[in-house]
Amino acid sequence: MEKLTVVVLFGGCSNEYEVSLISAASVIEHMDSDKYELVLVGITREGEWLRYSGSLKDIRDNQWHLHPSCIPSFLSPSRSIRGLIEIVNTEYHVTPIDVVFPVMHGKYGEDGTVQGLIELAGIPYVGCDMLSSAICMDKDIAHALVQASGVNTPYSVTMYKGDHGEEGVQDFQALKYPVYVKPAKSGSSIGITKAHDISQLMQGIKLAYEHDHKVVIEEEIKGFEVGCAVLGHRDPMIGVVDEIELIGDFFDFTEKYSLQSSKIHLPARVDAPTADRIKKIARQIYKTLGCKGFARVDMFVTPDGSIVFNEVNTIPGFTSNSRYPKMLQASGYTYSQILDQLIQLAVVEGL
């Protein structure tokens, strides 16, 4: 069988750059070399695209961009080319591409921007399309659509940089503390503050504005967080539900990647009927937001058994220890089989 040429995109101009490197190294490591011809393309923090042919260790150590193999490259938006253009001195070379696998978290990777470029190029790619990626990245818009579909969401207030005081203060008065102050379009809990009073709230808003011009302030949901790994298009399968046992205020960046004081329970400590309800609602959210390929849907379970939407990650962490592959592995998939399924879904959708 002829190999598929797969571009793995990693890095990017995001505050989740380092996480992307670790995820991408795991994806590359588990790709079946008998099935795929891998073309590795890294994007530096400054936005330079480089084809890379070095070791996985240099990717994990963020030394990849210093490797002598790096060649300035970019995906051509022209559908007549459908490939990667590599620039060597004054000449260029085109490598035809079958599939693109973006392994980029956060801004410019998970928000629809790179997906739009690949759609212009007419090349099949793994994961959610441009529109659903952009919707899921914006917590305000995602919550509005999910709530309209009949799923519970936290009470929240949205603010924009430059909003003036009086209206904002009136909105704050309706909030019940504690609240979470979040950049509307940021991931890995970066820029999030838990506020117990107006002083902490104002400090949190200032911090959130460092990451986005739009801020969402949400009331705390009592209960615990669960996650669903969703795989597929119109009739997706959902892996074993997991649960975050939280010790601190919230599952922040440090906890997500170190688990110093938090625990992940797989399967979640819920009975079978509750697990089924969680999966049913995750599927509804996935479809409501137009997701395809894969995503992780996160929700809260309250003390009275209600299920409340939290967020959707359209490119969740993909290290060998990340929640998304772990949930599917608990359902019987190997890591390599997950990658095969994602690439197959991209090829079929792109035909």
Side-chain angles (χ1 to χ4, degrees):
M1 185 177 67
E2 188 175 349
K3 291 184 180 181
L4 287 174
T5 301
V6 179
V7 164
V8 178
L9 278 180
F10 61 90
C13 312
S14 165
N15 51 19
E16 297 179 72
Y17 169 88
E18 290 89 351
V19 183
S20 169
L21 301 187
I22 300 169
S23 289
S26 290
V27 167
I28 296 161
E29 186 174 31
H30 289 89
M31 284 273 201
D32 188 340
S33 58
D34 292 331
K35 297 178 181 177
Y36 311 114
E37 189 71 45
L38 292 187
V39 175
L40 312 184
V41 178
I43 304 173
T44 67
R45 290 180 185 276
E46 294 74 34
E48 183 180 11
W49 289 50
L50 300 169
R51 180 170 180 175
Y52 170 74
S53 303
S55 69
L56 291 179
K57 183 179 185 300
D58 278 354
I59 294 178
R60 291 189 171 104
D61 293 344
N62 191 23
Q63 297 297 307
W64 67 271
H65 55 286
L66 304 175
H67 198 274
S69 71
C70 286
I71 302 171
S73 308
F74 60 93
L75 284 177
S76 170
S78 172
R79 295 194 173 201
S80 64
I81 294 175
R82 288 173 61 92
L84 185 77
I85 297 178
E86 301 164 36
I87 303 169
V88 181
N89 297 323
T90 57
E91 298 182 351
Y92 71 90
H93 173 263
V94 177
T95 300
I97 301 301
D98 295 310
V99 181
V100 178
F101 195 146
V103 191
M104 300 167 61
H105 308 304
K107 194 173 183 180
Y108 302 126
E110 200 173 351
D111 61 359
T113 49
V114 77
Q115 288 79 9
L117 170 61
I118 305 169
E119 287 178 22
L120 280 175
I123 303 172
Y125 63 94
V126 170
C128 293
D129 64 16
M130 179 181 68
L131 178 61
S132 60
S133 296
I135 287 171
C136 291
M137 191 71 179
D138 190 310
K139 297 175 179 66
D140 175 43
I141 295 172
H143 277 219
L145 291 173
V146 169
Q147 185 179 52
S149 78
V151 176
N152 294 328
T153 62
Y155 176 76
S156 64
V157 172
T158 300
M159 294 187 65
Y160 292 86
K161 205 167 192 175
D163 275 358
H164 294 291
E166 288 187 11
E167 291 181 8
V169 170
Q170 289 176 355
D171 289 336
F172 297 161
Q173 290 173 349
L175 292 166
K176 296 177 183 176
Y177 292 96
V179 296
Y180 292 95
V181 188
K182 304 178 179 182
K185 301 181 291 296
S186 184
S188 286
S189 299
I190 294 171
I192 294 180
T193 300
K194 184 175 182 179
H196 296 84
D197 55 40
I198 188 67
S199 174
Q200 292 178 354
L201 175 59
M202 300 310 293
Q203 291 174 6
I205 291 171
K206 182 178 179 181
L207 173 63
Y209 278 144
E210 293 178 8
H211 300 275
D212 194 10
H213 72 285
K214 183 179 181 182
V215 169
V216 176
I217 305 162
E218 293 179 3
E219 289 185 352
E220 182 178 52
I221 300 297
K222 300 296 182 183
F224 56 91
E225 187 171 350
V226 293
C228 287
V230 188
L231 175 67
H233 291 339
R234 294 163 191 84
D235 186 24
M237 69 83 63
I238 298 179
V240 175
V241 178
D242 78 356
E243 172 197 344
I244 300 171
E245 182 182 1
L246 194 59
I247 306 300
D249 277 344
F250 63 96
F251 204 45
D252 61 14
F253 183 87
T254 300
E255 281 302 314
K256 284 184 178 183
Y257 299 104
S258 70
L259 294 177
Q260 292 176 356
S261 62
S262 302
K263 293 181 182 178
I264 304 294
H265 295 279
L266 183 63
R269 296 172 297 176
V270 297
D271 58 29
T274 302
D276 288 342
R277 279 198 302 126
I278 291 168
K279 289 183 179 184
K280 181 180 179 181
I281 292 173
R283 185 176 284 107
Q284 178 180 340
I285 292 168
Y286 189 83
K287 290 185 175 182
T288 295
L289 299 180
C291 299
K292 68 181 184 70
F294 73 117
R296 196 189 71 234
V297 181
D298 296 336
M299 294 157 285
F300 299 106
V301 179
T302 67
D304 67 1
S306 297
I307 296 169
V308 182
F309 174 56
N310 181 20
E311 64 178 355
V312 172
N313 285 271
T314 54
I315 305 182
F318 233 103
T319 73
S320 55
N321 291 318
S322 293
R323 294 171 62 202
Y324 184 88
K326 285 289 188 185
M327 284 187 270
L328 290 180
Q329 286 169 332
S331 304
Y333 286 79
T334 66
Y335 194 116
S336 294
Q337 286 172 337
I338 297 168
L339 299 178
D340 287 344
Q341 185 71 11
L342 288 171
I343 291 169
Q344 184 60 34
L345 286 166
V347 170
V348 170
E349 186 74 9
L351 292 176

